[in-house]
Amino acid sequence: MLLDKSILELAAGLRQDEFTSVDLVNECYDNIAKYNDKINAFITILPRETAIKQAQSVKLTSPLSGLPFVIKDCFNTSGITTTAASHVLKNYIAPYDATVYKKLLTAGAILIGKMNMDAWGHGGSSENTDFGPVKNPWDTTRVAGGSSGGPAAAISARMAVFAIGEDTGGSIRNPAAWCNITGLKVTYGRVSRYGSIAYASSFDTVGPMAKTAQDCAIVLETIAGVDPYDATSSPISVPSYSTLLNKKVSDLTIGIPDEFFQAGLDPEVKTAVLKVAEDLKNAGAKIKNLSMPLFDYGLAIYYLIGPSETSSNLARYDGIRYGQGREFFTDETTRRILIGTYALSAGYYDAYYKKAQQVRTLFIEEYKKALTKCSVLLQPITPTQPPKIGELMSDPLQNFLADIYTTSQNPIGVPSLAFPCGFTKTGLPIGAQLVGPMFSEDLLLNIGYQYQQLTDNHLKSPLSKGDLEGLKPKP
Ligand code: GLN
């Protein structure tokens, strides 16, 4: 299948006339026709004919030219609906393009769909959506993760070459782990968020999701950089990430924070994540155990500041200016608006919001300190295997707890690479994350690439036996 190939292989194949961009587009749409009914990854599928027309006339000016991609439905795309998976924005068509989308169009990539997600980014299972839950291609009775579940499931089931996701507290990393793909939560400010529907403005990041670290590097060098339309975008120059992947890992120290590997972590997930350290050690890296005692506060900081910011960001959806009224918010979103409004209200502001911001500052120091003792930190992404559909939604507290390992990085701003690191006995994917200092995407992608040269988990797809249903683990 062409879609098993890497971006570089596809770019080379197009140039050597081994296949055409039209072949690629057709393969994506054939897989969508075969599998999307079972997975529900898309909110909008763009017409095949439109994509084919673009493919026929594409000029090969960049490695992404002629490659079909998808984006989470929280990015504005003029002429195409943008819903954030909420009926509040059911028929909303933005009058302008998100910067990330514009950059990809300029590079010649071909958009084929807008993807299902937890509404407004509120969730970690892509069940809090008004368009029906996304199902995990590895076992369609289970969730794909979230909130960027649609993009992850689509890459995993070979419906697109790469995807753009958004990560406020794990939304790229969590579905990457549960769908067996690679995803990068970038440093705050590395990629413009102009035209991305805001969840929590001091946490939100835009990043690539793809099969491999090398693919993510190529997409990142296309989408990163300062943007006059986003005052939080960083002027730091963008390295050519894809040419910086070849350094060996032997002079690196991998930090393992004890607190991330304690009670509550599924033993199979723990074993698979710690095996990454072993593999890197065998490749010459040093391993250092260390302690991050503030770990326990990460979730509390996130779930005070995140809802506070979302209660402010969602105030614009009053049904007067655009979209439909507030009665279209789901229970999960209403819960977050209520928590945030409460944490910001007079009398409680000092006790909750301000306190959370103070502890956030301590947390920033803790990460800085930990990253002076090692080059990068190895952490789990999810405490469990992908839950059954419905399990997390029926227990809101459990739902928040599922974010325990992915919410501490966003308040800090540091980047984190999520990648496949093994499978459970029943054949479900497991992911690990490497967290580095601010703007260390080059380092993270370099280690990810080196790790993927040593292992083959990332090459496995739920389609390798030719039939999604056939892969369902026995109950
Ligand atoms: N699961 C987390 C939440 O519900 C993270 C979501 C995200 O990164 N958008 O807030």
Side-chain angles (χ1 to χ4, degrees):
M1 185 178 297
L2 292 174
L3 282 156
D4 283 329
K5 292 182 189 293
S6 72
I7 288 179
L8 282 187
E9 286 167 344
L10 292 175
L14 289 177
R15 280 154 185 82
Q16 286 150 19
D17 292 325
E18 284 166 25
F19 47 83
T20 65
S21 173
V22 173
D23 297 334
L24 272 175
V25 165
N26 276 325
E27 197 171 281
C28 291
Y29 279 93
D30 290 348
N31 283 344
I32 293 169
K34 267 200 253 172
Y35 304 122
N36 190 51
D37 273 357
K38 290 176 189 147
I39 297 174
N40 198 30
F42 286 75
I43 289 178
T44 302
I45 303 173
L46 296 178
R48 189 193 279 241
E49 311 74 60
T50 315
I52 287 181
K53 252 194 213 134
Q54 281 172 268
Q56 281 165 338
S57 61
V58 74
K59 293 199 179 44
L60 302 179
T61 55
S62 92
L64 300 184
S65 305
L67 304 190
F69 75 104
V70 292
I71 57 180
K72 190 173 180 178
D73 205 17
C74 61
F75 295 103
N76 286 345
T77 46
S78 52
I80 306 164
T81 49
T82 299
T83 65
S86 170
H87 279 164
V88 172
L89 292 181
K90 197 173 179 183
N91 299 313
Y92 175 65
I93 297 186
Y96 67 96
D97 290 332
T99 297
V100 60
Y101 172 55
K102 216 183 210 162
K103 284 191 170 194
L104 290 167
L105 292 188
T106 306
I110 299 170
L111 182 73
I112 59 169
K114 309 266 324 258
M115 309 312 284
N116 206 347
M117 56 182 278
D118 288 294
W120 315 102
H122 295 163
S125 64
S126 298
E127 294 172 286
N128 176 33
T129 151
D130 287 333
F131 296 83
V134 181
K135 319 250 175 70
N136 193 313
W138 291 87
D139 175 352
T140 52
T141 66
R142 293 175 188 273
V143 302
S147 61
S148 313
I155 301 304
S156 178
R158 307 296 188 249
M159 296 166 173
V161 176
F162 68 91
I164 299 299
E166 166 277 335
D167 191 309
T168 303
S171 275
I172 286 180
R173 292 163 284 157
N174 162 312
W178 280 342
C179 291
N180 205 51
I181 67 157
T182 306
L184 180 65
K185 180 249 172 251
V186 300
T187 305
Y188 186 75
R190 178 70 297 184
V191 176
S192 168
R193 300 173 305 165
Y194 179 69
S196 146
I197 292 180
Y199 166 6
S201 305
S202 76
F203 298 165
D204 293 347
T205 56
V206 176
M209 303 173 80
K211 293 187 290 286
T212 65
Q214 187 192 50
D215 283 2
C216 285
I218 295 167
V219 177
L220 182 62
E221 60 201 21
T222 308
I223 61 174
V226 68
D227 178 6
Y229 293 119
D230 177 359
T232 64
S233 66
S234 166
I236 294 178
S237 65
V238 180
S240 65
Y241 296 107
S242 61
T243 62
L244 301 170
L245 302 172
N246 286 318
K247 239 171 71 203
K248 296 285 172 232
V249 297
S250 44
D251 53 350
L252 298 177
T253 305
I254 313 295
I256 302 186
D258 293 340
E259 290 78 2
F260 281 78
F261 292 88
Q262 287 170 3
L265 178 59
D266 179 291
E268 283 192 271
V269 176
K270 181 174 174 175
T271 306
V273 176
L274 289 175
K275 173 81 169 40
V276 175
E278 211 177 296
D279 289 340
L280 292 172
K281 189 174 166 196
N282 290 338
K286 284 178 267 319
I287 306 297
K288 188 168 178 65
N289 286 86
L290 45 87
S291 174
M292 296 182 72
L294 289 180
F295 167 73
D296 274 351
Y297 296 99
L299 207 56
I301 298 171
Y302 177 84
Y303 273 113
L304 282 169
I305 300 174
S308 297
E309 293 186 5
T310 213
S311 72
S312 160
N313 278 327
L314 296 191
R316 73 192 70 168
Y317 303 107
D318 50 12
I320 298 168
R321 280 166 284 193
Y322 52 97
Q324 311 198 69
R326 319 184 153 275
E327 63 277 19
F328 288 89
F329 282 133
T330 60
D331 287 353
E332 183 58 39
T333 292
T334 305
R335 181 178 302 119
R336 290 170 190 232
I337 295 172
L338 286 172
I339 293 173
T341 308
Y342 183 82
L344 287 173
S345 60
Y348 296 104
Y349 177 92
D350 283 338
Y352 296 113
Y353 181 75
K354 190 171 161 203
K355 185 64 85 193
Q357 291 287 19
Q358 287 167 332
V359 181
R360 178 185 195 173
T361 304
L362 295 178
F363 223 154
I364 292 174
E365 291 309 315
E366 176 149 298
Y367 260 92
K368 258 196 203 146
K369 212 164 98 199
L371 286 164
T372 59
K373 297 182 186 143
C374 59
S375 327
V376 291
L377 296 158
L378 174 66
Q379 299 171 351
I381 296 173
T382 58
T384 64
Q385 310 177 11
K388 292 270 184 192
I389 304 271
E391 246 170 54
L392 285 174
M393 287 303 272
S394 57
D395 186 345
L397 190 62
Q398 216 46 44
N399 202 9
F400 285 178
L401 280 171
D403 297 331
I404 189 154
Y405 301 120
T406 50
T407 44
S408 69
Q409 299 81 10
N410 298 63
I412 317 297
V414 288
S416 167
L417 181 74
F419 53 92
C421 70
F423 290 85
T424 65
K425 285 191 204 84
T426 53
L428 297 168
I430 302 174
Q433 58 179 335
L434 287 168
V435 180
M438 297 293 276
F439 297 98
S440 65
E441 282 82 356
D442 50 347
L443 175 65
L444 297 179
L445 291 163
N446 174 198
I447 306 173
Y449 174 78
Q450 292 296 325
Y451 173 79
Q452 289 178 339
Q453 299 307 297
L454 304 168
T455 53
D456 64 356
N457 297 313
H458 60 287
L459 300 175
K460 297 187 177 134
S461 108
L463 309 187
S464 36
K465 288 184 189 156
D467 172 18
L468 268 186
E469 289 300 311
L471 276 181
K472 214 188 266 181
K474 304 284 165 290

